């Protein structure tokens, strides 16, 4: 698919369809009003009769019958003007392109980036283009018997003035990379655990590195043993699939901060000996979503050649019960020497991250951001729309929250007050891997904190956001690629000199 910007207006673009926006209970404005004039008031009439209400993601497709060069107009609702923000704009854009693609349109012009009066145009262009890529993703990589509508040939951002052309093109290009990288992560998460083993995940990393020009290092069990990564090795011990520690590095700059992304790459989480109920166990193929987000973000950082030193570390393992499996009660020694009493083998994500965070620090990271489908409790606390954020450095927490906002990903901070730490006290080891039911997302965060020392660190729990249970107007059911764009936005921010 081609993405470009054009000075052509909605009433000039001669493709299969154009997209214009309307608000709930508000007069038509901008491109919608221009198009309406050419359609002799049809949009206005439909609004008057209640067929077009302007509700968020409401789509009405009109045929222009040669009153306009484009064959169709998709009128998309943005909701109430006072509530419409970039989150709403993303949903509307995704919903509109999906609806048009599914009706066979191939060439689509968008006149949405001026719709929000409060937003900066470059933010709107970024949001709309990213949303286009996210909306068009189908998640059907393993279906063989589908007759699918064709892909779009082109998406054109309409009515970009000559003076904004270069800037808008650059923004659209970055948005394309961000959108494609998110879909790359979604694909990995949607693929089953028999396709995406730790070894296969490492092969993906090598592939990205070769294409995008990153350094890559994949550590295998003998090296992991030499380094003393007793936690990662223990989690992997129940499976015939050997563990991998994947390390990617983008050397965009030789001085300045050194950012590291650490992503949980649990390719299947059965719970191990502390086995999970079978009912939703198949969903646990998505327990490598943090790792996928790191791979996606590293791919984007490299393609955009960001002037920043960024490392991606992904501990990859499969958590299964067997005669070789680790047990509740075992005491493990993590990289760096900290001992851990295993209470539940199902709290395995924090174990593999303990080794990986320690290793990222050892490699010289000054800023650590880990991302993981860590706790079911995070879904209970924040639902499927919002990720949990914790950290030991307010400035970095703020930077991650701001990056989330920019990326269109909802995040909310949870506290790491010192009182929570005692929930992890163990009678036999330095700490235990489970703190019980109270504040389970926070104790997960506190556990990780024990392995970062004084280094600036933020933890993002994406257990709720990594997977969408439902088909939504703007995105298909399944993997969401959560975190990919937030990590990228953080790297962009830091490359620009702001923390
Ligand atoms: N991968 C799960 C968390 C999870 C649950 C992600 C549901 C997505 C959806 C994690 O490894 C886990 O099992 N966590 C336990 C921790 C508990 C034993 C402290 C949990 O949340 O129950
Ligand atoms: Zn688990
Ligand atoms: Zn898990």
């Amino acid at each position: 698919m081609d993405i470009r910007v054009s000075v052509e207006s909605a009433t000039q673009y001669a493709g299969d369809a154009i997209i214009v926006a309307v608000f709930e209970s508000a007069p038509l404005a901008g491109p919608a009003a221009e198009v309406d004039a050419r359609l002799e008031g049809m949009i206005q009439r439909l609004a008057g009769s209640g067929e077009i209400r302007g509700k968020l993601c409401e789509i009405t497709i009109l045929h222009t019958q040669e009153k306009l060069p484009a064959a169709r107009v998709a009128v998309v609702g943005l909701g109430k003007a006072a509530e419409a923000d970039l989150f709403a704009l993303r949903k509307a854009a995704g919903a509109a392109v999906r609806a048009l693609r599914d009706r066979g349109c191939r060439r689509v012009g968008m006149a949405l980036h001026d719709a929000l009066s409060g937003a900066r145009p470059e933010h709107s262009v970024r949001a709309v283009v990213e949303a286009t890529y996210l909306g068009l993703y189908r998640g059907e990589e393993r279906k063989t018997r589908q007759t699918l509508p064709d892909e779009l040939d082109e998406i054109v951002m309409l009515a970009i003035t000559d003076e904004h052309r270069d800037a808008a093109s650059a923004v659209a290009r970055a948005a394309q990379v961000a959108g494609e990288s998110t879909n790359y992560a979604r694909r990995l998460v949607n693929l089953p655990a028999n396709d995406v083993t730790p070894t296969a995940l490492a092969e993906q990393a090598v592939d990205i590195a070769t294409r995008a020009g990153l350094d890559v290092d994949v550590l295998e069990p003998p090296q992991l043993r030499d380094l003393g990564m007793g936690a990662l090795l223990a989690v992997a011990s129940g499976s015939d699939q050997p563990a991998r520690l994947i390390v990617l590095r983008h050397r965009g700059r030789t001085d300045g901060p050194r950012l590291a992304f650490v992503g949980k790459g649990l390719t299947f989480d059965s719970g191990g000996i502390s086995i999970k109920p079978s009912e939703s166990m198949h969903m646990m193929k998505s327990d490598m979503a943090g790792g996928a987000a790191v791979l996606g973000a590293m791919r984007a950082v490299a393609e955009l050649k960001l002037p920043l030193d960024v490392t991606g570390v992904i501990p990859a393992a499969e958590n299964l019960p067997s005669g070789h499996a680790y047990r509740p009660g075992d005491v493990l020694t993590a990289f760096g020497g900290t001992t851990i009493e295993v209470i539940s083998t199902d709290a395995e994500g924090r174990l593999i991250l303990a080794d990986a965070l320690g290793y990222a620090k050892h490699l010289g990271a000054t800023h650590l951001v880990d991302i993981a489908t860590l706790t079911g409790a995070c879904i209970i606390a924040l639902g499927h729309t919002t990720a949990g954020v914790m950290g030991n450095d307010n400035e970095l927490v703020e930077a991650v929250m701001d990056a989330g906002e920019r990326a269109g990903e909802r995040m909310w901070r949870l506290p790491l007050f010192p009182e929570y730490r005692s929930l992890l006290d163990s009678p036999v080891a330095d700490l235990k891997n489970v703190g019980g039911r109270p504040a389970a997302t926070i104790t997960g965060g506190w556990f990780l904190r024990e392995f970062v020392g004084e280094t600036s660190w933020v933890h993002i729990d994406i257990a709720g956001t990594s997977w969408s249970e439902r088909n939504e107007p703007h995105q298909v059911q399944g993997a969401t690629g959560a975190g990919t764009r937030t990590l990228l936005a953080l790297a962009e921010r830091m490359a620009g000199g702001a923390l």
Side-chain angles (χ1 to χ4, degrees), residues 264 266 268-271 276 284 287-288 319 345-350 373-375:
K264 172 176 172 182
L266 222 294
F268 185 71
D269 181 13
S270 70
K276 288 180 180 294
M284 282 299 123
D287 211 19
M288 34 58 76
N319 187 21
T345 62
D346 197 11
E348 81 300 332
R350 60 197 73 184
T373 46
L374 207 70
T375 64

Side-chain angles (χ1 to χ4, degrees), residues 384-413:
H384 286 281
T385 52
T386 306
V389 175
M390 286 139 270
N392 63 1
D393 171 358
N394 289 335
E395 219 186 332
L396 187 60
V397 170
E398 291 297 326
V400 169
M401 301 282 289
D402 179 71
E405 176 88 29
R406 283 285 207 106
E409 300 196 85
R410 303 241 186 241
M411 315 230 150
W412 199 254
R413 187 179 187 177

Side-chain angles (χ1 to χ4, degrees), residues 25 103 165 180 201 205 315 389:
S25 356
R103 283 166 181 76
R165 210 194 169 101
E180 286 174 345
L201 206 58
V389 175

Side-chain angles (χ1 to χ4, degrees), residues 3 17 19 41 73 94 133 161 180 186 245-246 251 254 262 284 303 354 404 418 438 471 474:
I3 174 111
I19 303 171
V73 178
Y133 281 88
T161 58
E180 286 174 345
R186 291 167 86 180
L245 187 78
I246 302 164
R251 295 173 192 269
T254 52
V262 180
M284 282 299 123
E303 280 196 23
N471 263 316
H474 67 286

